[in-house]
Every structure is written in structure tokens, then in C-alpha cells.
Amino acid sequence: MKITGLPALVGSYDNYIWVLYQNQQAWVVDPGESEQVLAFLQQQGLQLQGVLVTHFHHDHVNGIGALKAAYPHATVYGPELTPNPLIEIRVKEGDRVALTDDFALNVLFTPGHTEDHVSYYNDTVLFCGDTLFSGGCGRKFTGTFAQFADSILKLRALPDQLGFYSAHEYTLSNLKFAYLVEPGNAALRQRILESRILYPEPLEGPQSTLGLEKATNPFLRFDTPQIKAQLLQRGAQDTTESLFKTLREWKDDLDQSGALDHVNLQEEVQ
Ligand SMILES: [Zn+2]
């Protein structure tokens, strides 16, 4: 199965729409737009077979209508809790979506960013929508911090080798926060030095691996001694929910103030 990330809503939300394709058949994850998807399908001679949705936000679903109009036989899969009438097959944790005879995706319920969010994975790939990002995680909108922390722990329990595909390209800004939180993390320094983000070029293959995320993404590391000590100092209680919430709100504050906007990461780590 080949996987290409098509940039979408560039400059506003900086999404990736992931296209999975093999033998002239294609599936897309979270089409927030349709034009670039339709162009790609045509260029590559692909027939759209299905759409997979992680959650209800418009930057993940606004392209579905036009894709269905062009490929009426494509099936739209989405979470059981997503109130979108274009979803034809509702999925929940434990379900399996078979794309081909030898490629299926399992459904994991990962609420927190929103209350309806699911992720899709198998033994080689993880599509985690807006739950985790490369180097960071989504903001808490309509889910709860308790749900979010739980979802992160579920994703952390998956194997390291999984190709990591999230719905946005925020890596460099996320790594600024990661480095602020954990300047002594050697794997993180290495990652910063090696990061070459070419967005908005299409991306062949994953943004990262789940293993690299576990080693460098603070939102997968909020209960490690180094990070936990800082969170307790910032008023967190020693619970998963409170530690995660304190870390997420720390980043929200910095995002809002723009305090990290002018940090030059590559210079910082030299
Ligand atoms: Zn979202």
C-alpha cells in the first residue's frame, strides 16, 4: 500500500489528506478539501473506494461531498458519534475496516480533542487525526482532559514501528515547545537537527514513527520524571488527567502569547 499526504487548507490549518492506494484503488483519510484529491486520483489513474473520517471538524470532512459526487460508489466510514449525514458506515473501537484482502485498519476510540474522535491503525501504520501530531498533540475542544489523557495512553501502547500519520503539519512549532520542556532529551535534539519539513509539498510516507514520537513528543512523555517534576511545580496533581491537562495548558498559553514564535530551533540546539 502506498501512502501520500496531500497538503490541504495550506496557510490556515495546514492539513494533510492521506491517500492510500494500490492496484488503481484508493482510500482517503480526513478530506477537508477535494480539489487536490480529485486531481491526484486522476493523475495516478485511481478509483476512490472509500473515505475514512477521524472526527467531525470541517477541516477533516468538507471534501467528502465532492468526492462522493465524483465517485458515488466510494464508502464513507466515520465514528459512531460523529453527527455527519455523509457517513455511511459508523465505526467504533474494536471494529475493523478492510481496504483490501490483505490491508485492514483497526478502529481505536481516541476522544479528547473532540468527543467523537477515532484513530485507525494496523501493524504498520497509525492515522491519529488530531489526537497526536508530529511532536505535539491536538487542542482540547469538545472532549475532556480525562478522555484525552486516556487516549494518549492507548496510542502509546501501540508498537514503536508504526508509521505515524497525523492530520496536520505543525512539527517545527511543536518541537519548539518540546525543547522548552525537555532540553536535555538527546533524542529530541537529534530530531530537531534532522527535521526537514518540506510542507506544502506532498509527503510520501509517514511524518514520523510512533517510536520517535514516544522518544521526543512531550505529550507522550508527560509522566516521565523530568517532565512530571515540572508539571507538579506548575500546580498539577499526580494524576494522569491533571498532568496531561497542565502540559496541554502550558502549551496553549505559549501558543496564545506567541512566546515561541521567534525561537530559532536549529540555533538553540547547537
Ligand atoms: Zn480537529
Side-chain angles (χ1 to χ4, degrees):
M1 188 69 76
K2 287 179 75 173
I3 304 176
T4 296
L6 301 179
L9 300 155
V10 175
S12 53
Y13 294 94
D14 289 346
N15 288 66
Y16 277 122
I17 300 170
W18 298 106
V19 185
L20 297 83
Y21 52 109
Q22 177 177 292
N23 299 331
Q24 282 82 55
Q25 300 187 318
W27 296 262
V28 297
V29 181
D30 284 353
E33 291 182 317
S34 57
E35 274 178 31
Q36 66 280 68
V37 179
L38 292 168
F40 184 81
L41 296 174
Q42 202 159 39
Q43 275 160 21
Q44 303 281 331
L46 300 167
Q47 283 290 320
L48 185 67
Q49 303 295 308
V51 174
L52 293 109
V53 173
T54 61
H55 66 294
F56 74 89
H57 282 161
H58 66 90
D59 57 315
H60 299 251
V61 300
N62 273 7
I64 297 174
L67 293 176
K68 270 297 275 189
Y71 296 93
H73 299 298
T75 305
V76 183
Y77 300 86
E80 60 175 349
L81 298 180
T82 303
N84 186 317
L86 295 175
I87 294 173
E88 298 161 306
I89 297 190
R90 306 239 160 220
V91 298
K92 59 183 187 309
E93 180 155 314
D95 287 350
R96 201 164 160 272
V97 180
L99 307 194
T100 68
D101 290 343
D102 56 9
F103 192 97
L105 292 168
N106 305 298
V107 179
L108 203 61
F109 185 41
T110 52
H113 170 70
T114 58
E115 72 284 8
D116 63 329
H117 199 294
V118 301
S119 298
Y120 300 92
Y121 75 99
N122 60 20
D123 55 7
T124 56
V125 297
L126 167 65
F127 296 94
C128 52
D130 286 358
T131 302
L132 279 172
F133 294 139
S134 168
C137 80
R139 290 176 58 194
K140 186 202 78 74
F141 285 106
T142 49
T144 68
F145 282 113
Q147 285 180 324
F148 213 148
D150 245 30
S151 296
I152 300 260
L153 295 183
K154 276 189 202 174
L155 293 172
R156 193 168 72 179
L158 298 176
D160 286 0
Q161 82 270 7
L162 302 193
F164 182 89
Y165 301 84
S166 76
H168 292 271
E169 181 45 72
Y170 299 150
T171 308
L172 293 179
S173 106
N174 284 332
L175 291 180
K176 289 180 188 179
F177 179 68
Y179 188 67
L180 176 82
V181 172
E182 227 182 352
N185 180 336
L188 175 60
R189 294 171 74 94
Q190 191 65 27
R191 181 177 185 183
I192 290 167
L193 290 170
E194 289 171 358
S195 283
R196 298 283 178 274
I197 304 300
L198 301 174
Y199 195 89
E201 285 181 24
L203 182 60
E204 306 289 337
Q207 292 174 288
S208 171
T209 62
L210 186 57
L212 181 60
E213 294 303 322
K214 290 181 197 178
T216 58
N217 184 331
F219 292 97
L220 286 159
R221 302 170 58 74
F222 59 88
D223 50 0
T224 57
Q226 277 283 326
I227 297 183
K228 184 172 162 178
Q230 297 178 72
L231 297 175
L232 293 173
Q233 227 166 24
R234 298 182 75 89
Q237 287 160 348
D238 192 1
T239 66
T240 302
E241 176 187 357
S242 179
L243 291 169
F244 175 76
K245 176 175 187 279
T246 304
L247 182 63
R248 183 59 256 188
E249 289 179 341
W250 184 4
K251 182 164 193 299
D252 288 343
D253 288 345
L254 292 170
D255 287 346
Q256 199 149 33
S257 70
L260 296 176
D261 287 357
H262 302 292
V263 170
N264 184 325
L265 255 189
Q266 309 262 341
E267 268 174 28
E268 294 266 324
V269 299
Q270 295 295 340

